């Protein structure tokens, strides 16, 4: 397995993994995957990676800005998705650790994640990478007419924004 920068050529495989995550009902509030252009606009260009095994994308990770205000320029939301065929093999941990390194190289001081409480594996991976649970956002959004909670996690860099 190797990790490399995410490129447009990876999009069909990334989209498939994203759609598999959507189908679980515990990965995102999204109900459909966007097209490449929309996804590309929404994610920070310098912090996008894929995990490859035998030329196949088996996972991806990217950052999304939390705000357009300049004071929050170093704060981003984390997305990590792993193909069902690669789950339980350490791909999520590897991607998250690499994404943290990439984010710090690019000046991010705080990363956050909102994870459905049912997605215990994702919460564990984030905690393993130094994220702290800040709390539960109760009934933060509706999915299929059912109110859902998310667990809010945050990781503060020990090397960026420490001045």
């Amino acid at each position: 397995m190797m990790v490399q920068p995410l490129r447009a050529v990876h999009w069909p495989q990334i989209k498939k993994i994203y759609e598999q995550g959507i189908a679980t009902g515990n990965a995102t509030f999204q109900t459909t995957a966007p097209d490449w252009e929309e996804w590309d606009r929404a994610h920070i260009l310098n912090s996008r990676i894929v995990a490859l095994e035998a030329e196949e994308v088996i996972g991806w990770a990217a950052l999304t800005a939390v705000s357009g205000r300049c004071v929050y320029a170093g704060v981003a939301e984390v997305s990590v998705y792993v193909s069902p065929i690669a789950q339980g093999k350490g791909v999520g941990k590897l991607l998250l650790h690499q994404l943290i390194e990439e984010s710090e190289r690019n000046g991010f001081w705080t990363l956050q994640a909102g994870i459905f409480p049912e997605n215990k594996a994702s919460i564990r991976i984030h905690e393993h990478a130094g994220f702290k649970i800040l709390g539960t956002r109760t009934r933060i959004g509706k999915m299929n007419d059912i109110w859902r909670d998310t667990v809010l996690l945050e990781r503060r860099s020990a090397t960026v924004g420490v001045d």
Side-chain angles (χ1 to χ4, degrees), residues 12-58:
Q13 295 174 70
I14 291 166
K15 183 178 180 185
K16 180 180 177 186
I17 293 168
Y18 191 40
E19 289 171 336
Q20 291 167 332
I22 291 169
T24 69
N26 288 323
T28 179
F29 277 107
Q30 292 295 120
T31 56
T32 60
D35 61 24
W36 165 251
E37 290 75 18
E38 182 181 346
W39 189 95
D40 185 45
R41 279 191 308 274
H43 292 83
I44 297 166
L45 186 59
N46 63 27
S47 296
R48 309 171 177 186
I49 55 176
V50 292
L52 298 171
E53 191 170 74
E55 308 283 327
E56 288 293 315
V57 175
I58 57 171

Side-chain angles (χ1 to χ4, degrees), residues 1-3 10 13-14 17-18 20 49-61 80-92 94-95:
M1 177 178 19
M2 65 185 244
V3 175
H10 298 125
Q13 295 174 70
I14 291 166
I17 293 168
Y18 191 40
Q20 291 167 332
I49 55 176
V50 292
L52 298 171
E53 191 170 74
E55 308 283 327
E56 288 293 315
V57 175
I58 57 171
W60 62 270
V80 178
Y81 285 80
V82 177
S83 169
I85 63 167
Q87 290 176 357
K89 298 180 180 179
V91 177
L94 175 64
L95 282 167

